[in-house]
Each structure stands twice: as structure tokens, then as C-alpha cells.
Amino acid sequence: NAGVMQNPRHLVRRRGQEARLRCSPMKGHSHVYWYRQLPEEGLKFMVYLQKENIIDESGMPKERFSAEFPKEGPSILRIQQVVRGDSAAYFCASSPPGQGGEQYFGPGTRLTVT
Amino acid sequence: GNSVTQMEGPVTLSEEAFLTINCTYTATGYPSLFWYVQYPGEGLQLLLKATKADDKGSNKGFEATYRKETTSFHLEKGSVQVSDSAVYFCALRGRSIGNQFYFGTGTSLTVIP
């Protein structure tokens, strides 16, 4: 059973471009979480999604950031008009259905904005 | 609300030294507590966990006990190795819908031979 997969592992974007980060949860997992890790900081929760639904987006910046988890395919975190402050590692975690599901983390996507 | 306060680093120890990384938390209700480890360039790996008061999580020689009275979950290891060099994150997960994690800022550990 493959783990949580994220791609790309490294992404370089110029200011003003769009960044699209993909996360494929573990097989059988229907819950996806996105976290951001800024340099020298811990992980900060961004958004929690189930298939076709955003459950909790309290950690998402109000502008330029969006997330989806379609019925088919990976979850996508989209950052429009990136700025240097968006440079960070973005981690995805998934868990199976139910309240007690353990979260399993992917290897992360390291976004660099030049 | 929920939050985690973790001992600041970096921590440098000699091989076979005793390790303690302090972690205290604030939470509503009865959260689950975790220690994650992050090796350079990699994602987070679960090191150990405890789901209720007085539980002790252990793995690879690391231990942590869920102390409700002191709201703490300190990480300990009796004899560290060079391969333990990594960043360690304390985290809690509430029992509300969503089960999001709240992480500490991480403690960088370097073990020198």
C-alpha cells in the first residue's frame, strides 16, 4: 500500500505565477489535510477536505489560496499570484474515514518563489 | 483553544547522552498527543503517540508519558545515537470533527560522535 504521495517534490515559481501542488492520499483514505511549514517554524494547519467537500479551511489565507479534493484524482492546493512569502514546504496528510483515523504525512512539496 | 509549546533548540548532545525535549500543551477536552520526527529533506514520521492520560508512548528507545496534571508530554531517550539527529515536533490532535494537528515549533537535535 503506497503512502501519501505529493508532487512535485520541488517547485520553483516566479512572483506572480501560479503554483499547483498535488496530493494523492493513501488507498482507502477519504480525508486530506494540508499544512504549511515556513522556515524554522512548525507546521500550520491550512485546510481539511473530504471528497468534493471542504470541511475546515480556517487556516487558509483569505486570498490567492484555494484547495479542492475532487471525486476522482488527487487533492490540489492552488496558490495564485505567488509572492516570496509563499516560499515554504507544503505537507499533505491523509486519514481513513471515521473520527479516530491516524494521519499519515506525505514527503512534502518545497515551493520556492524567486 | 489548542496549542503546543515546545522547548526551543537547537540541542547538541554527545553520543550516548540522555535526551529530554520538553513539551506542554493547552487543549479543550482530552486530546491525543504525538511526537513526530523529521529528517533533513523529508516529511514527518510518527515517532510515538499517547491517546489518554498516563499512557506512555514508546518507539526506538524514545518514550513520552501523557501527564494530564502538568499538561505535558516530554520526550526522553536514555542514550542517543548520531542517527537520531533530526527535528522533533510535539503535536496534539483534538477530538472534534476534522482532527487537525496542532504542532510545536520543532526542536532540532544534533548528536555528535
Side-chain angles (χ1 to χ4, degrees):
Chain A
N1 188 7
V4 177
M5 300 181 70
Q6 290 187 249
N7 66 81
R9 294 291 307 275
H10 300 274
L11 181 62
V12 180
R13 285 287 178 266
R14 289 202 175 105
R15 279 179 298 172
Q17 291 184 320
E18 178 181 286
R20 291 171 68 87
L21 288 62
R22 286 176 290 278
C23 169
S24 296
M26 287 180 71
K27 187 177 180 181
H29 287 193
S30 57
H31 299 199
V32 166
Y33 305 77
W34 285 94
Y35 295 85
R36 176 165 64 176
Q37 184 181 28
L38 293 169
E40 308 301 323
E41 294 188 15
L43 274 73
K44 295 287 196 298
F45 167 79
M46 299 181 75
V47 63
Y48 161 47
L49 310 104
Q50 294 179 14
K51 287 283 188 181
E52 301 184 281
N53 283 304
I54 297 175
I55 306 302
D56 180 356
E57 56 181 348
S58 57
M60 286 277 271
K62 293 288 185 275
E63 297 177 350
R64 302 188 297 108
F65 284 72
S66 62
E68 63 177 10
F69 188 18
K71 188 176 180 182
E72 301 291 338
S75 175
I76 306 286
L77 179 67
R78 183 180 176 208
I79 311 172
Q80 295 177 291
Q81 300 173 346
V82 295
V83 300
R84 288 223 172 107
D86 297 333
S87 296
Y90 292 83
F91 290 95
C92 167
S94 74
S95 68
Q99 290 298 308
E102 187 62 65
Q103 287 191 19
Y104 296 83
F105 282 80
T109 294
R110 277 159 180 79
L111 171 65
T112 302
V113 179
T114 62
Chain B
N2 296 332
S3 66
V4 174
T5 301
Q6 190 173 336
M7 172 178 142
E8 289 188 18
V11 174
T12 302
L13 295 174
S14 297
E15 206 165 21
E16 299 184 4
F18 185 85
L19 168 71
T20 300
I21 301 178
N22 290 337
C23 171
T24 57
Y25 68 90
T26 302
T28 52
Y30 303 95
S32 296
L33 301 173
F34 304 80
W35 277 100
Y36 278 82
V37 58
Q38 184 180 32
Y39 297 100
E42 298 185 12
L44 275 69
Q45 300 175 26
L46 178 64
L47 181 60
L48 54 83
K49 67 177 182 180
T51 58
K52 61 182 188 296
D54 299 326
D55 269 3
K56 177 185 283 188
S58 61
N59 185 26
K60 299 181 182 179
F62 291 89
E63 292 183 341
T65 301
Y66 190 142
R67 301 283 188 203
K68 186 168 179 292
E69 62 277 11
T70 54
T71 60
S72 65
F73 193 55
H74 305 321
L75 182 68
E76 296 182 336
K77 186 174 186 182
S79 177
V80 294
Q81 305 300 312
V82 172
S83 58
D84 294 327
S85 298
V87 180
Y88 293 81
F89 291 94
C90 184
L92 71 81
R93 185 181 69 196
R95 298 187 187 276
S96 60
I97 291 174
N99 288 335
Q100 62 157 294
F101 278 82
Y102 295 84
F103 285 88
T105 52
T107 301
S108 174
L109 170 67
T110 300
V111 180
I112 54 178

